[in-house]
């Protein structure tokens, strides 16, 4: 499961969003020479979706849209236990949906890195605030403090959550209009916000949907969490072998 678009037929990486130098690399053939067993390549969000749909929150559901909110924003669709594939390379790059005509993407607003930046701005503006106190002296992603700040009823944390859930609901409405999945599963690091994130999206999504589709799909948090990708990889191997 690679973090970016791949050509699953040739086994080559099309684009690496996180690490320079991997674009165009024949990762499947390279791995085969090392471990000498069959290797199957997919986008990491696709295999996470497969894991969640077959052994997680989407088990037994016909169509599952999985969205991961991590350093970036990725997604995958599984229908009847199989990954949906569009034209090569890649599909369902929901993080690259444009939120306006200026080119701002969902990833720009709701990735873990984007939320980190919002928190840094808030800390700089209110250095004595709850978020600033929680983050002081810590060398980690700022987003990890958002949950605790929400529990402390911090208005800045609440505002950041409101912005994020509204942006996510708006973006998800496009996916629902095009794909109309039975279930939407949210994973990735930001899913650790739990019920506030889930509830915020579920409350806002119906307002962005056509009436015939309202209230939209059920929204659940990941059950597999950090294991979604490796579980999905095992399922992918089993299906191919």
């Amino acid at each position: 499961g690679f973090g970016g678009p791949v050509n699953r037929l040739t086994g080559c990486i099309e684009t690496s969003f996180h690490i320079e130098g991997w674009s165009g690399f024949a990762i499947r053939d390279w791995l085969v020479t090392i471990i000498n067993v069959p290797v199957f390549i997919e986008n990491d969000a696709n295999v996470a979706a497969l894991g969640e749909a077959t052994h997680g929150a989407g088990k037994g559901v016909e169509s599952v849209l999985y969205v991961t909110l991590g350093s970036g924003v990725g997604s995958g669709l599984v229908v009847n236990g199989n990954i949906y594939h569009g034209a090569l390379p890649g599909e369902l790059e929901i993080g690259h949906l444009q939120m306006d005509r200026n080119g701002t993407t969902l990833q720009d607003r709701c990735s873990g890195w984007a939320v980190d930046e919002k928190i840094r701005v808030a800390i700089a503006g209110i250095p004595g605030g709850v978020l600033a106190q929680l983050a002081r002296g810590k060398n980690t992603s700022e987003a990890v403090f958002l949950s605790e700040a929400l529990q402390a009823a911090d208005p800045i944390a609440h505002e950041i959550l409101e912005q994020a859930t509204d942006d996510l609901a708006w973006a998800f409405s496009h996916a629902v209009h095009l794909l109309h999945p039975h279930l939407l599963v949210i994973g990735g690091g930001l899913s650790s916000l739990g019920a506030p994130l889930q509830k915020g999206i579920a409350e806002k999504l119906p307002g962005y949907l056509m009436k015939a589709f309202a209230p939209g799909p059920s929204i659940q948090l990941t059950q597999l969490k950090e294991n979604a990708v490796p579980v999905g990889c095992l399922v992918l191997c089993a299906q191919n072998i």
Side-chain angles (χ1 to χ4, degrees), residues 8-109:
R8 68 185 186 280
L9 302 181
T10 64
C12 292
I13 296 168
E14 292 290 338
T15 303
S16 175
F17 296 127
H18 304 297
I19 305 173
E20 292 184 5
W22 285 81
S23 297
F25 181 60
I27 189 170
R28 183 181 65 191
D29 292 345
W30 176 62
L31 289 170
V32 167
T33 64
I34 294 173
I35 59 178
N36 197 32
V37 296
V39 174
F40 309 100
I41 298 297
E42 272 285 358
N43 170 264
D44 60 344
N46 275 353
V47 289
L50 184 61
E52 203 66 55
T54 55
H55 290 79
K59 188 174 182 180
V61 180
E62 182 178 339
S63 58
V64 178
L65 174 62
Y66 174 86
V67 179
T68 176
L69 305 176
S71 54
V73 178
S75 59
L77 178 68
V78 173
V79 181
N80 293 322
N82 294 293
I83 297 171
Y84 164 79
H85 289 118
L88 290 168
E91 52 275 320
L92 268 71
E93 287 287 355
I94 197 170
H96 293 268
L97 279 179
Q98 294 195 2
M99 306 295 283
D100 55 42
R101 292 181 181 270
N102 296 319
T104 303
T105 66
L106 176 64
Q107 191 160 273
D108 292 331
R109 293 190 180 180

